Amino acid sequence: MSLGSVSSLTPASFLLNGIPGLEEAHLWLSFPLFTMDSIALTGNFGLIYLIYSERPMYIFLALLSFTDVLMCTSTVPNTLFLFWFGLKEIDFKACLAQMFFVHTFTGMESGVLMLMALDRYVAICYPLRYATILTNVVIAKAGTLTFLRAVFLVIPFTFLTKRLPYCRGNVIPHTYCDHMSVAKISCGNVQINAIYGLMVALLIGDFDILCISVSYTMILRAVVSLSSADARQKAFSTCTAHICAIVITYVPAFFTFFTHCFGRHTVPPHIHIIMTMYNDSPSTCSCLPP
């Protein structure tokens, strides 16, 4: 297909259809989403302020909260406007921009969880050298590299989606624009999109989970070797918030991934969309270690 033909099949805008099959319940679904979003935003902003003013050593936790806030800002307002006012139309370029930010912040969140696992490993296994190993410069470089990794891996999504012809209409069965939801309404070959999406999932998600698993294996070995029960309990308590954040982040993410790959005909679309919609609200699980 020529470039001119592809351009002629690029819509000026998309229509977000919300949750297929539950259109009548959009208003009722908006209330728990708005409540969760308000509570989580308040909690995350409060946590960021507390860390900034009193406990600056928990910079990774502040970075996780900041990433959660950005993720929420990129999706929830769009969803609430759709539910409350029926504003379904989104410009094609705005849809691509939203898709970029959604996946960038998702990759960033996964990377920060990995950095937090490494932080806990150093704090528990090398407590006397913690301040010399994780200096402010090292933390800044680690955060910057995590952000750049997400940006450079997600940028191709935009170009791969933009090149597709859209001759099946412009209605997206979702509450916001994400990569596969947009690609699926294309009449072009999306095999490259699917392969690249899988590669990004491996480079970000699987790599981060591997690092987290190795870190906690080493932590567990170190904690079990402690002779004092109080010391073991204190070591485990410092990891509780992080483990909670990992579960909240990765369980819905794995559900979404496996649904896209294997459960398209067994899991109702509205279940899949509700899971992703509420997962993109900021986590309220983050809290300062004792």
Side-chain angles (χ1 to χ4, degrees):
M1 184 176 290
S2 66
L3 181 61
S5 299
V6 173
S7 299
S8 65
L9 294 175
T10 300
S13 62
F14 287 115
L15 294 177
L16 296 169
N17 200 34
I19 306 176
L22 295 179
E23 288 83 0
E24 299 298 327
H26 278 177
L27 182 61
W28 296 106
L29 290 171
S30 69
F31 291 119
L33 177 64
F34 176 75
T35 302
M36 289 173 56
D37 181 56
S38 300
I39 295 174
L41 280 177
T42 302
N44 278 290
F45 276 123
L47 182 60
I48 292 172
Y49 174 77
L50 180 62
I51 293 173
Y52 175 77
S53 59
E54 296 186 18
R55 307 182 77 171
M57 71 286 291
Y58 296 115
I59 190 169
F60 284 134
L61 197 56
L63 185 58
L64 179 64
S65 293
F66 184 65
T67 304
D68 282 339
V69 169
L70 293 177
M71 167 66 79
C72 164
T73 305
S74 65
T75 59
V76 174
N78 199 104
T79 301
L80 291 177
F81 286 152
L82 189 156
F83 286 173
W84 287 344
F85 309 113
L87 300 178
K88 298 183 177 182
E89 187 173 6
I90 182 171
D91 183 76
F92 180 76
K93 292 181 179 179
C95 184
L96 294 181
Q98 184 181 52
M99 180 181 68
F100 169 78
F101 287 120
V102 165
H103 292 295
T104 296
F105 295 143
T106 300
M108 183 68 182
E109 184 176 44
S110 177
V112 173
L113 288 172
M114 175 195 65
L115 294 178
M116 290 177 68
L118 298 176
D119 172 78
R120 292 300 85 200
Y121 166 71
V122 175
I124 292 174
C125 297
Y126 302 99
L128 300 180
R129 297 174 55 196
Y130 178 85
T132 57
I133 295 175
L134 290 179
T135 62
N136 290 335
V137 174
V138 171
I139 292 174
K141 288 181 178 179
T144 301
L145 289 176
T146 301
F147 173 73
L148 292 177
R149 180 191 66 165
V151 169
F152 286 120
L153 286 176
V154 170
I155 282 178
F157 280 140
T158 305
F159 296 101
L160 289 173
T161 306
K162 186 176 181 180
R163 70 178 178 85
L164 294 172
Y166 296 91
C167 51
R168 294 178 180 172
N170 65 339
V171 179
I172 300 174
H174 211 304
T175 58
Y176 60 86
C177 295
D178 73 343
H179 175 232
M180 289 311 299
S181 295
V182 177
K184 283 180 178 179
I185 66 171
S186 168
C187 56
N189 186 356
V190 298
Q191 185 175 5
I192 296 178
N193 296 64
I195 293 174
Y196 185 73
L198 179 61
M199 185 180 74
V200 171
L202 293 174
L203 291 175
I204 293 182
D206 288 6
F207 175 78
D208 291 348
I209 291 175
L210 176 63
C211 291
I212 291 172
S213 301
V214 172
S215 297
Y216 270 99
T217 300
M218 301 299 292
I219 289 172
L220 185 61
R221 289 180 58 186
V223 171
V224 170
S225 65
L226 295 175
S227 57
S228 171
D230 291 338
R232 287 196 297 269
Q233 183 177 359
K234 184 177 180 181
F236 277 125
S237 66
T238 63
C239 301
T240 302
H242 184 226
I243 293 174
C244 178
I246 290 173
V247 172
I248 284 180
T249 300
Y250 283 112
V251 169
F254 276 123
F255 175 84
T256 301
F257 176 77
F258 286 115
T259 298
H260 270 307
C261 294
F262 310 111
R264 289 173 292 179
H265 304 296
T266 57
V267 179
H270 62 271
I271 298 296
H272 169 76
I273 293 174
I274 289 175
M275 286 288 292
T276 57
M277 182 177 67
Y278 284 99
N279 185 46
D280 288 334
S281 297
S283 169
T284 57
C285 190
S286 298
C287 57
L288 287 175

